[in-house]
Amino acid sequence: MSTTTGRETTQVGELRMLIDGELTEGRSGRRFDNINPATEDVLGQVADGDVDDMRQAIGAARRALDETDWPTNRGLRRRCLEQLQAALEAEREALRTELVSEVGTPVLLTYGPQLDAPLSDGLLWPARAIDEFEWQRDLPEGTAFGTRSWRRVVREPVGVVGAIVPWNYPFEVSINKVGQALATGNTVILKPAPDTPWNATRLGRLVAEKTDIPAGVFNVVTSSDHLVGEQLVVDPRVDMISFTGSTATGRRIMEKGAPTLKRLFLELGGKSADIVLDDADFEAKLASAWTVCVHGGQGCVMLTRLLLPRSRYDEGIALMEPGFRTVPYGDPTDPANIQGPQISAKQRDRVLSYIEKGKEEGARLVIGGGSPSHLDKGYYVEPTLFADVDNSMTIAREEIFGPVLVVSPFEDDDDAVRIANEGQYGLGSGVTSASEERALAVAQRMRSGTVSVNGGVWYGADSPFGGYKASGIGRQNGIEGFQQYTECKTIAGPLG
């Protein structure tokens, strides 16, 4: 049964999944629509996989792990990642257009975090790490229990990895999961969000057509049903779940994966605080505070809580307001725009409900707060600025995932750190000061996985990313992320 609405569509993305080396529509033959969030039009369709398709993909990944030399053939893995890199670069511009259409991302962002930045190193850094990583090391001679022994520590693949990807930066997240999981010798089932399937099916097609990756090593299963992805979590043949998404879903994955003791990497929600100390250049810092609206605020590590010293609080609000009034937003194909739509009507309504909650709880709405009247199509929310927000308010504690900045006052550095560290999340944070030494002292006290000091950018395939507290478990990227896709084995034998 198709979900086609009857509107005329032109299929431009890859319709088929990749299972066990074959491009397929799945056993049922069902399809679902891929919607452009900026126009609300149907872009085309994609295979609507079911639990049986997912089980087939898991079986294929298990066989490839157990019956091919993929886990041990490092030269093959490096060559295949380089082949996939070349294939993606050859279709870079088609992928760029596709991301703008299905994600609603401003095209400007595809020249950075949506496409070009992860494509520059998401596969190539892990490919290089294959040769540089310490796959084994020798320990000193052992003498336990009166026996002289040589001892060796080796690193091996975890096994079958279920990679579950969100819709906000789908290619970026996918390539960073897939690159490291494949480089370390694992087999993978990629489950994209139903809102943004085509970048994943394109990846599957390129693997099938342009690389020597053995059948079953890499699979892509698309589905309109989120619970199809849950099969990865409960199936004992899957050894690890690599998930990026909401904290609520992360908790469910932990619960459902407990019976099989799944290895987990969870990159979850955030409510990141940005502290501006009283000696900072307020005009330089706050004139660009509106950049929290980039991509509709749909970023887990965005600094959506701004903390200002009470002594300069009114000055700070006044500096920010003009920027929020002039945020360039609308058609994501227009390179002048930095804010596009929310991904869906459901997500737009969720953001608007948070805004109403903020007003009800006493926060001061400085600007924005509704759906723009000048855009008659698309799931847009106005750039929104709240002032006088304290940590008891819902909009200070929960992830809105929209173009909304909340601003709170603090008394001194200690108070700023206290406010920043309150709450369940600890994904990202920032601090700005005229003194780098002072900023670093604050940064070292902030309970978050990343900290930007005076605008520094930590991003890269070599940089570990993840969160404290309810923002997750483990790290993506860097040696820390690479190593988490491996198991540790200690081997010993007699000497003499």
Side-chain angles (χ1 to χ4, degrees):
M1 185 176 66
S2 172
T3 58
T4 304
T5 62
R7 286 171 285 181
E8 185 177 351
T9 64
T10 301
Q11 185 78 22
V12 294
E14 175 56 57
L15 172 70
R16 298 164 294 177
M17 304 181 289
L18 176 64
I19 299 177
D20 202 8
E22 298 292 330
L23 295 169
T24 176
E25 287 202 41
R27 299 186 181 190
S28 71
R30 291 191 297 267
R31 303 173 180 179
F32 67 97
D33 291 340
N34 193 9
I35 306 295
N36 184 328
T39 65
E40 305 180 40
D41 292 333
V42 177
L43 294 166
Q45 295 186 317
V46 70
D48 198 357
D50 58 21
V51 170
D52 287 337
D53 293 311
M54 183 61 80
R55 288 173 178 153
Q56 182 185 3
I58 293 169
R62 190 80 241 174
R63 286 194 303 275
L65 183 79
D66 296 338
E67 298 176 10
T68 74
D69 68 345
W70 181 259
T72 57
N73 192 334
R74 298 175 198 161
L76 172 63
R77 301 202 302 262
R78 184 177 61 253
R79 183 176 80 246
C80 289
L81 288 176
E82 291 168 350
Q83 290 171 336
L84 183 56
Q85 175 75 22
L88 284 165
E89 288 179 352
E91 297 191 7
R92 181 193 299 255
E93 296 312 311
L95 180 53
R96 189 186 312 280
T97 300
E98 188 171 84
L99 286 168
V100 173
S101 296
E102 70 172 350
V103 181
T105 178
V107 66
L108 182 66
L109 265 66
T110 66
Y111 294 95
Q114 285 283 14
L115 176 58
D116 286 359
L119 186 54
S120 70
D121 60 5
L123 294 177
L124 294 180
W125 188 87
R128 291 192 298 270
I130 292 172
D131 292 333
E132 299 167 0
F133 185 66
E134 188 177 42
W135 294 100
Q136 68 176 47
R137 75 180 193 276
D138 290 327
L139 299 177
E141 177 183 318
T143 58
F145 315 122
T147 301
R148 294 179 57 228
S149 302
W150 58 261
R151 298 177 300 159
R152 181 171 300 151
V153 179
V154 298
R155 287 281 175 178
E156 299 175 342
V158 169
V160 176
V161 174
I164 304 174
V165 176
W167 43 258
N168 57 330
Y169 286 86
F171 177 78
E172 189 272 344
V173 177
S174 292
I175 211 69
N176 282 307
K177 290 185 187 298
V178 168
Q180 292 208 337
L182 292 180
T184 44
N186 299 280
T187 59
V188 177
I189 304 102
L190 178 64
K191 170 61 175 65
D195 308 270
T196 53
W198 279 353
N199 63 94
T201 53
R202 178 184 293 271
L203 195 60
R205 175 177 59 77
L206 293 177
V207 164
E209 296 178 350
K210 303 295 184 180
T211 78
D212 296 325
I213 293 177
V217 165
F218 182 71
N219 307 269
V220 179
V221 178
T222 53
S223 179
S224 62
D225 183 356
H226 289 279
L227 292 182
V228 168
E230 192 166 283
Q231 184 63 34
L232 291 168
V233 181
V234 300
D235 196 308
R237 295 173 296 175
V238 177
D239 301 290
M240 177 178 176
I241 298 296
S242 179
F243 170 76
T244 299
S246 73
T247 295
T249 303
R251 290 190 176 107
R252 182 177 176 90
I253 287 172
M254 291 187 74
E255 177 188 354
K256 296 294 184 179
T260 55
L261 294 177
K262 286 284 189 294
R263 172 82 68 87
L264 298 177
F265 163 61
L266 304 175
E267 193 267 284
L268 307 176
K271 191 69 179 180
S272 302
D274 193 9
I275 297 174
V276 183
L277 298 177
D278 55 12
D279 63 349
D281 183 338
F282 267 41
E283 187 168 356
K285 169 68 178 178
L286 299 180
S288 60
W290 55 268
T291 55
V292 74
C293 300
V294 166
H295 189 30
Q298 297 172 126
C300 54
V301 76
M302 284 182 162
L303 302 177
T304 55
R305 284 196 297 159
L306 185 68
L307 309 186
L308 297 179
R310 195 176 295 278
S311 61
R312 302 185 67 181
Y313 186 75
D314 292 339
E315 173 193 355
I317 298 296
L319 284 168
M320 287 187 284
E321 185 176 349
F324 273 81
R325 292 191 182 279
T326 56
V327 171
Y329 75 102
D331 180 3
T333 66
D334 184 342
N337 290 329
I338 63 100
Q339 178 185 331
Q342 311 311 118
I343 190 65
S344 64
K346 178 182 178 181
Q347 184 64 19
R348 175 199 59 201
D349 294 345
R350 179 179 180 273
V351 173
L352 292 173
S353 72
Y354 271 113
I355 292 171
E356 289 305 308
K357 178 67 74 173
K359 292 189 290 185
E360 291 169 6
E361 293 182 355
R364 174 162 58 97
L365 181 63
V366 178
I367 190 169
S371 295
S373 59
H374 67 285
L375 296 172
D376 58 355
K377 283 189 175 182
Y379 310 122
Y380 291 93
V381 175
E382 293 175 327
T384 300
L385 175 63
F386 273 109
D388 306 341
V389 177
D390 67 53
N391 272 1
S392 67
M393 295 179 182
T394 302
I395 60 172
R397 292 183 286 104
E398 297 185 14
E399 187 175 41
I400 299 174
F401 231 60
V404 182
L405 180 65
V406 302
V407 188
S408 304
F410 65 85
E411 303 298 335
D412 55 23
D413 292 10
D414 289 343
D415 192 41
V417 171
R418 176 190 64 79
I419 294 170
N421 286 341
E422 281 185 358
Q424 64 172 323
Y425 295 115
L427 189 56
S429 58
V431 57
T432 303
S433 170
S435 164
E436 186 173 270
E437 182 180 2
R438 183 183 178 193
L440 277 170
V442 170
Q444 289 165 356
R445 297 168 62 193
M446 298 178 82
R447 298 280 296 165
S448 62
T450 60
V451 187
S452 172
V453 171
N454 291 336
V457 179
W458 45 262
Y459 180 84
D462 60 349
S463 176
F465 170 57
Y468 290 22
K469 302 188 286 186
S471 287
I473 298 171
R475 293 295 181 268
Q476 180 158 290
N477 290 348
I479 289 297
E480 293 79 2
F482 193 90
Q483 185 167 290
Q484 85 185 345
Y485 287 101
T486 67
E487 280 283 13
C488 178
K489 178 184 288 182
T490 305
I491 306 172
L495 278 172

